[in-house]
């Protein structure tokens, strides 16, 4: 440690300057999508804050700290040594190995890091220890500020049973249900029968969609009780469950609240969070299309009533379920910074992290309720390393071989904690980033989101860009006709990607043919000069065959400058572009419409993978002669997988329910795989005898690994 130290005020000025350019690159906000971090020089702030988290939220908190001139301390596991949040911090401390229980949930190690670094306050982010009252107590005992509510509010709102009773007492609308802890499976079944199906089984200490199951009958209640209690114990160290009436087809709308230690509390408008899968949010927006000013006021006032009932002091979120008749019911209160907080920042202009730090330091709120605006519209898409074609998103792992955020576009904000070369592992949440767009109107925000998704370059892991783009361009979403059941209703047979119509199919075929010709012409040149023996005269027209899905299309192509004229399926398509094959993005004008394509891969055999309208399509472009000869090539016989159970995702084996020689029925559980704290039951596709078992509890498996073989 240096013998001499700069004064805190000078230190803050130097820090703010040091990180200004870095943050413009890492977490940019362009155009209107801005929020203010307005630090008063008369307010004494913390000199050093430790962020007890990782990834994008750790980076987000550090952004505001650096703007305020506050030094930051990162904690990290051994596999996160080179993570972005570690590089961004002024100091970093390793708190253990990769598993969260030994690192980011390791209170002893984090408390040691606080002592060693001399941090005066801890910001917990979201998840991990953010709502852990014991952690807050230990910090308070050592005179370290917890940037969040006090332990009473954490206890009261962290327990869903107690929080529901407090909400009732505060005259907040609540969902009918059982107000006690459900201790056994049979008790769960009886309570569910008394309430009336369907019911929601959920962890008392839970959040983030973990430990939650919907049950429509006794059998599903038994299964839901088992999985919810296991997930709750794994995620929160608390397996207590409660059961309440499931509100069918509701909207999920939440109110952002902000309160200080002097009895002042505000509601900062709402966020619409109805687009979900497995009770986890996918797309959020602020404000909601469903709320009118009066309903917004009533919901906001009830949220503030609840916050005041527990002497809440910090930023927090009160979540409601809203039915089609605009009746709303208290769901839970998240006593932390919410994942989707950026969209509130966009429409109010407030920096919520700054407000949390000010409140933790003891200052009063700077605003009154009438000061809180709704300026424009903001939309957030959660970009995940997930395969959206499997249950709307099963986790994917890998290394980001190429990564480029769409920060060149206006009104775009990207909160991320990764960079090119980062690893997405099985140990942590698979979120890549939060992509936020802003506009004066909802239509502007949606148009910006469509462009941003098309311009987002992610290579090396499977991602959910295709699902996000289909959601925000779907007529139901555009009209505001949504609910928490949106995805299963719109895609009852599962997500299949963008479904091509005749015009879009011709556009894709024409773009693939033009790209193929461009690559062929480039391969004939060295340093811009034609190879000697390759093509003495450059051709200007071609007869091709393009294969897409199950169809084969004859294509005639002519070229003039950068413009290709493609005749396909009896129609003419004009494709114009700069054709920079070294760029991951391929901006084209097709029949006068701007399209941003991405060439994900291509090889010498004519196979090309194009990302078009968000979805990846496999095409094959052949010369007319090659297309005629390919019929004589032997085809690879696909593997018979009916007798093989393979892991649909990377994860850890929790349990195996069968052994060799057992007979299993169709739909019977064979094993359970846990990925990113979510447990997934894998079942038999048919009745058969178990031939061999290739996994055991505790083992780590990859996507596609053989688990069980049937006869």
């Amino acid at each position: 440690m240096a013998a001499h130290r700069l004064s805190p005020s000078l230190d803050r000025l130097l820090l703010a300057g040091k990180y200004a350019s870095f943050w413009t690159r890492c977490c940019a906000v362009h155009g209107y999508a801005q929020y203010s971090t307005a630090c008063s020089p008369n307010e004494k702030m913390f000199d050093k804050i430790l962020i007890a988290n990782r990834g994008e939220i750790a980076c987000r908190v550090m952004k505001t700290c650096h703007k305020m001139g506050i030094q930051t301390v990162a904690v990290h596991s051994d596999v996160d040594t080179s993570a972005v949040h570690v590089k961004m911090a002024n100091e970093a401390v390793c708190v253990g190995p990769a598993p969260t229980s030994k690192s980011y949930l390791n209170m002893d190690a984090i408390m040691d890091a606080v002592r060693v670094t001399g941090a005066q306050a801890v910001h917990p982010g979201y998840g991990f220890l953010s709502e852990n009252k014991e952690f807050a107590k230990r910090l308070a005992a050592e005179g370290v500020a917890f940037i969040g509510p006090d332990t009473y509010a954490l206890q009261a709102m962290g327990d869903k049973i107690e929080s529901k009773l407090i909400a009732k007492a505060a005259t907040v609308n609540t969902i009918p249900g059982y107000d006690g802890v459900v201790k056994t499976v049979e008790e769960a079944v009886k309570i569910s029968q008394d309430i009336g199906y369907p019911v929601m089984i959920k962890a008392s200490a839970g959040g983030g969609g973990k430990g939650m199951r919907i049950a429509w009958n006794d059998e599903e209640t038994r299964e839901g009780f088992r999985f919810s209690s296991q997930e709750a114990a794994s995620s929160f160290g608390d397996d207590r469950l409660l059961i309440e009436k499931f509100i069918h087809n509701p909207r999920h709308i939440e109110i952002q609240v902000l309160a200080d230690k002097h009895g002042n509390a505000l509601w900062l408008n709402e966020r619409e969070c109805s687009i979900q899968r497995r009770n986890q949010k996918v797309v959020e927006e602020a404000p909601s299309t469903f709320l009118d000013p009066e309903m917004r006021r009533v919901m906001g006032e009830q949220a503030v009533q609840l916050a005041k009932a527990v002497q809440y002091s910090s930023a927090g979120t009160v979540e409601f379920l809203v039915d089609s008749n605009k009746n709303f019911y208290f769901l839970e209160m998240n006593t932390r910074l919410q994942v989707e907080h950026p969209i509130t920042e966009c429409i109010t202009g407030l920096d919520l992290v700054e407000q949390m730090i000010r409140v933790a330091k003891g200052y009063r709120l700077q605003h009154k309720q009438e000061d809180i605006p709704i300026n424009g519209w903001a939309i957030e898409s959660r970009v995940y390393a997930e395969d959206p074609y499997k249950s709307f998103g099963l986790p994917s792992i890998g290394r980001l071989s190429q990564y480029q955020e769409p920060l060149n576009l206006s009104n775009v904000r990207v909160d991320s904690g990764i960079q090119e070369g980062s690893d997405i592992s099985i140990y942590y949440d698979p979120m890549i980033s939060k992509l936020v767009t802003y506009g004066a109107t909802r239509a502007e925000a949606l148009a910006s989101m469509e462009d941003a998704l098309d311009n987002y370059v992610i290579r090396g892991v499977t991602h959910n860009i295709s699902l996000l783009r289909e959601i925000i361009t779907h007529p139901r979403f555009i009209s505001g006709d949504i609910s928490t059941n949106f995805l299963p209703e719109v895609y009852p047979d599962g997500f299949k990607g963008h479904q091509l119509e005749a015009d879009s199919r011709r556009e894709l075929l024409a773009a693939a043919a033009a790209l193929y010709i461009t690559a062929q012409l480039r391969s004939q040149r060295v340093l811009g000069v034609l190879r000697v023996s390759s093509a003495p005269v450059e051709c200007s027209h071609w007869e091709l065959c393009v294969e897409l899905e199950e169809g084969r299309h004859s294509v005639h192509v002519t070229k003039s400058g950068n413009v290709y004229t493609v005749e396909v399926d009896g129609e003419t398509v004009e494709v114009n572009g700069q054709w920079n094959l070294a760029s991951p993005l391929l901006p084209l004008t097709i029949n006068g419409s701007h399209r941003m394509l991405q060439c994900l891969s291509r090889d010498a055999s004519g196979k090309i993978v194009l990302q078009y309208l968000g979805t990846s399509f496999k095409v094959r472009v052949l010369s007319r002669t090659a297309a005629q000869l390919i019929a004589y090539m032997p085809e690879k016989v696909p593997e018979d997988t009916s007798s093989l159970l393979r892991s649909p995702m990377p994860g850890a084996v929790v349990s195996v329910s069968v052994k060799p020689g057992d007979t299993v029925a169709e739909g019977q559980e064979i094993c359970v795989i846990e990925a990113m704290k979510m447990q997934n039951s894998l079942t038999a596709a048919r009745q058969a005898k178990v031939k061999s078992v290739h996994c055991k509890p505790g083992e780590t498996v990859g996507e596609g690994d053989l688990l069980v073989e049937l006869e």
Side-chain angles (χ1 to χ4, degrees), residues 378-427:
I379 298 172
E380 176 180 285
S381 293
R382 298 193 188 188
V383 181
Y384 281 105
E386 290 182 339
D387 186 347
Y389 299 94
K390 297 177 179 178
S391 301
F392 300 112
L394 292 184
S396 168
I397 61 172
R399 176 166 294 174
L400 290 166
S401 57
Q402 194 170 15
Y403 183 73
Q404 182 176 308
E405 295 171 349
L407 296 176
N408 59 306
L409 304 177
S410 61
N411 299 340
V412 172
R413 167 178 170 174
V414 183
D415 282 17
S416 67
I418 47 88
Q419 61 188 2
E420 194 163 288
S422 293
D423 287 314
I424 307 295
S425 75
I426 65 170
Y427 297 107

Side-chain angles (χ1 to χ4, degrees), residues 352-465:
L352 293 182
V353 175
E354 180 202 12
Q355 297 302 318
M356 294 178 76
I357 293 172
R358 288 188 70 261
V359 168
K361 190 64 176 173
Y363 293 110
R364 293 178 179 271
L365 296 183
Q366 297 170 309
H367 305 87
K368 297 186 180 301
Q369 189 62 57
E370 57 267 23
D371 300 330
I372 305 303
I374 297 180
N375 289 328
W377 213 285
I379 298 172
E380 176 180 285
S381 293
R382 298 193 188 188
V383 181
Y384 281 105
E386 290 182 339
D387 186 347
Y389 299 94
K390 297 177 179 178
S391 301
F392 300 112
L394 292 184
S396 168
I397 61 172
R399 176 166 294 174
L400 290 166
S401 57
Q402 194 170 15
Y403 183 73
Q404 182 176 308
E405 295 171 349
L407 296 176
N408 59 306
L409 304 177
S410 61
N411 299 340
V412 172
R413 167 178 170 174
V414 183
D415 282 17
S416 67
I418 47 88
Q419 61 188 2
E420 194 163 288
S422 293
D423 287 314
I424 307 295
S425 75
I426 65 170
Y427 297 107
Y428 311 118
D429 189 271
M431 180 184 286
I432 294 174
S433 73
K434 298 180 306 196
L435 177 63
V436 180
T437 59
Y438 177 88
T441 65
R442 187 170 186 260
E444 286 184 17
L446 283 171
S448 294
M449 181 61 73
E450 189 174 339
D451 287 343
L453 290 168
D454 285 343
N455 281 268
Y456 208 144
V457 177
I458 304 171
R459 306 280 194 276
V461 297
T462 304
H463 55 75
N464 68 332
I465 293 289

Side-chain angles (χ1 to χ4, degrees), residues 543-605:
E543 298 292 335
L544 303 175
C545 179
V546 184
E547 298 175 352
L548 172 62
E549 296 170 340
E550 301 298 320
R552 178 177 286 190
H553 306 262
S554 295
V555 174
H556 177 75
V557 184
T558 57
K559 181 177 184 292
S560 176
N562 287 327
V563 179
Y564 290 90
T565 301
V566 184
E567 294 181 15
V568 54
D569 296 341
E571 299 285 342
T572 299
V573 181
E574 191 173 272
V575 184
N576 188 9
Q578 294 302 311
W579 303 106
N580 180 3
L581 300 186
S583 171
L585 297 172
L586 194 61
L588 300 177
T589 301
I590 305 178
N591 279 350
S593 298
H594 174 73
R595 301 289 189 209
M596 181 62 74
L597 280 71
Q598 295 186 34
C599 181
L600 305 183
S601 67
R602 56 186 175 84
D603 61 24
S605 69

